[in-house]
Amino acid sequence: MKTAYVYELINDRTKTAVENAKRAEQHHLQASCMLPFGVDVNPFTEVYKLMERLL
């Protein structure tokens, strides 16, 4: 199945991606950006929160 193949390719990188997203969020918070972040805060994503809940 194609989906399983993609998962195998990215599975070992998921933890690093989540850590990087958290670090980016902390960077923006320390730079006095207010939540919720708007389009001015780039790069940023909160997808890591979903990933943590799914894993």
Side-chain angles (χ1 to χ4, degrees), residues 26-43:
Q26 287 304 310
H27 168 76
H28 294 306
L29 289 172
Q30 290 173 355
S32 299
C33 295
M34 301 294 288
L35 288 173
F37 295 144
V39 294
D40 299 351
V41 178
N42 190 16

Side-chain angles (χ1 to χ4, degrees), residues 13-36:
R13 296 181 177 103
T14 303
K15 183 179 177 183
T16 301
V18 168
E19 291 171 1
N20 289 343
K22 286 180 178 181
R23 192 172 29 248
E25 181 178 48
Q26 287 304 310
H27 168 76
H28 294 306
L29 289 172
Q30 290 173 355
S32 299
C33 295
M34 301 294 288
L35 288 173

